[in-house]
Amino acid sequence: MELRNLRNAAVREMDAARSGSFVFLVSTLALLCGAGCGAPGEPTPPSPPVPVAITDLTAHQAGDGVQLIFTLPLKTVTGDRLASPPAVEVIRGMPKADGSPDAKSFRVVYTIPGALAENYVVESQVKFIDPVAPAETRAHPGGLLVYVVRTSASKKRASANSNAVSVRMYPVAEGIASLQARVTETAMELSWTAPTRTSGGDPLSGFSGYRIYRGELDPATAEASSTDLSKAKWKSPLALLSGADESAYSDTLFDFGRTYAYIVRSVVLVEGNPLESRDSNSAIVTPRDTFPPAAPQNLVVAALSGASPGSVLADLSWSINLETDLAGYRVYRSEEQDTRGALLMPDLLLAPAYRDTSVEPGHRYWYSVTAVDRAGNESDRSATVAVDVAKPSP
């Protein structure tokens, strides 16, 4: 009996030990799982970048279209920098009767891919023209259009709409399609045919003149730009050069060797405001200086005694040329009346005078002079002047 009691006590102690070890193990596992073994769940996808909304949108009529100007966003709504330019959606709509934008009328009329957005950037701002059919403007002169733009850096989410802007559209003159340019020594002579109708086909009224624009191109892109100025690489973009009342203009502020692009726009006045037509065809010109100076005038030649006893020389002088690009003069001498003869010195003379010390007594010489400009163009010869070199007196 006593032995049985001792055995039962031993069993109870072993069960208690096992129970304590299990509780300890479970507690330890619970602590470990609580520290780093959360329940598995679905991974949270990264949020797509959303550009900040554009706030500086402006618009005005430009020929048969509306030019929109705005700044591309550089950051997202969370303050992160955009990795690349976002795509742009141009949205056009109509106003309600009270003049407020009618959200139901808005439609995306054009999308600029992000990879092409930089092609529309001029002086740090996007400049885009949304064309409007002349027939639509003709049917609703003074009609109001409302615009907003938005951008997107991914296909999932776009930015909020920009500020809304509105533009009234009026008929303008038809575009000039006959602009011509001719190079002269002192000017680029532009001429074109005067328009007689609006772009919608109605008789032209309110005509106010012309505006001439000029830009300088990279010569490497001149050929590609001749039919499409959007392919141009500008050294300086198109800028207003002058106004004109007639269908011709002389540009005297040019330099030979540079490549210029010209366009002309007709101007009409609508309610006192000037409105330009669309661009004319472009005239792209690289003027070359092929114009020689005028022939020197008033050549005088005299035979004189030289510095040493028994020596003689021919002294030449003539009137100075007035060309601003004059580089110098060349003197020719011949012993035959109707031939130019030999050039007397390899370098250009900078002054209108020369002394020929290589003459010989008892000979007759014929002299002529030419002028040379900085482009290497040489003038015709001056009038030929003869001189007899007598033997010096004893």
Side-chain angles (χ1 to χ4, degrees):
M1 184 67 179
E2 185 176 349
L3 179 61
R4 185 183 301 135
N5 291 335
L6 289 173
R7 186 170 58 235
N8 290 338
V11 170
R12 286 195 298 272
E13 289 180 2
M14 290 177 66
D15 289 341
R18 290 192 191 100
S19 178
S21 297
F22 178 75
V23 171
F24 175 77
L25 178 60
V26 172
S27 300
T28 302
L29 289 174
L31 289 172
L32 290 174
C33 288
C37 299
E42 293 295 329
T44 302
S47 299
V50 179
V52 297
I54 291 168
T55 59
D56 63 345
L57 176 64
T58 61
H60 64 271
Q61 182 173 354
D64 294 308
V66 175
Q67 184 169 63
L68 305 174
I69 303 175
F70 55 91
T71 305
L72 276 177
L74 301 177
K75 293 185 177 182
T76 68
V77 292
T78 58
D80 298 321
R81 189 171 184 84
L82 290 169
S84 59
V88 179
E89 289 184 335
V90 178
I91 303 168
R92 185 208 296 173
M94 305 291 290
K96 295 180 181 179
D98 61 2
S100 62
D102 182 1
K104 295 181 180 180
S105 70
F106 279 88
R107 299 289 184 273
V108 175
V109 293
Y110 199 85
T111 299
I112 304 173
L116 301 180
E118 291 291 341
N119 294 344
Y120 296 89
V121 175
V122 179
E123 297 177 347
S124 301
Q125 287 190 303
V126 173
K127 294 186 178 181
F128 173 80
I129 294 182
D130 173 37
V132 178
E136 182 178 342
T137 305
R138 180 188 184 191
H140 305 283
L144 199 63
L145 299 177
V146 183
Y147 286 87
V148 296
V149 295
R150 64 187 176 210
T151 62
S152 58
S154 71
K155 294 182 179 179
K156 295 183 178 181
R157 287 188 63 187
S159 72
N161 287 343
S162 71
N163 58 300
V165 293
S166 59
V167 180
R168 291 194 180 278
M169 292 294 296
Y170 296 93
V172 295
E174 60 186 344
I176 294 167
S178 57
L179 177 61
Q180 302 290 328
R182 184 175 67 91
V183 182
T184 69
E185 185 175 3
T186 58
M188 298 285 288
E189 301 288 352
L190 305 177
S191 60
W192 57 92
T193 303
T196 59
R197 295 187 174 275
T198 68
S199 56
D202 293 327
L204 185 63
S205 62
F207 177 74
S208 180
Y210 305 95
R211 290 177 180 174
I212 298 96
Y213 291 81
R214 186 187 76 178
E216 185 179 354
L217 293 170
D218 181 341
T221 65
E223 184 175 354
S225 306
S226 59
T227 56
D228 186 359
L229 284 181
S230 67
K231 299 178 181 178
K233 183 177 180 182
W234 298 97
K235 287 190 171 182
S236 57
L238 287 170
L240 180 62
L241 178 64
S242 178
D245 295 326
E246 304 295 332
S247 56
Y249 178 76
S250 296
D251 176 18
T252 60
L253 304 175
F254 75 99
D255 294 317
F256 288 111
R258 295 186 174 184
T259 300
Y260 297 102
Y262 294 89
I263 64 167
V264 177
R265 299 171 187 162
S266 304
V267 181
V268 295
L269 288 179
V270 178
E271 298 178 358
N273 298 314
L275 291 178
E276 298 180 344
S277 69
R278 63 176 173 85
D279 294 348
S280 69
N281 64 295
S282 59
I284 298 177
V285 190
T286 303
R288 305 295 182 189
D289 186 358
T290 60
F291 306 97
Q297 301 293 315
N298 304 317
L299 174 62
V300 175
V301 184
L304 303 176
S305 298
S308 59
S311 64
V312 290
L313 58 84
D315 184 76
L316 291 78
S317 63
W318 56 93
S319 298
I320 192 170
N321 278 56
L322 300 179
E323 288 83 1
T324 58
D325 63 342
L326 184 72
Y329 303 94
R330 289 173 179 159
V331 176
Y332 295 90
R333 187 185 74 186
S334 175
E335 294 190 46
E336 297 181 10
Q337 182 174 0
D338 297 324
T339 61
R340 184 175 70 173
L343 179 65
L344 291 184
M345 64 291 179
D347 298 327
L348 293 176
L349 286 171
L350 301 183
Y354 180 70
R355 284 194 165 185
D356 180 9
T357 59
S358 63
V359 296
E360 296 181 3
H363 287 250
R364 169 173 282 189
Y365 298 99
W366 281 265
Y367 290 93
S368 61
V369 181
T370 62
V372 181
D373 65 19
R374 287 194 290 268
N377 300 305
E378 185 173 9
S379 73
D380 292 333
R381 288 190 297 155
S382 67
T384 302
V385 177
V387 65
D388 292 314
V389 179
K391 295 181 179 180
S393 302

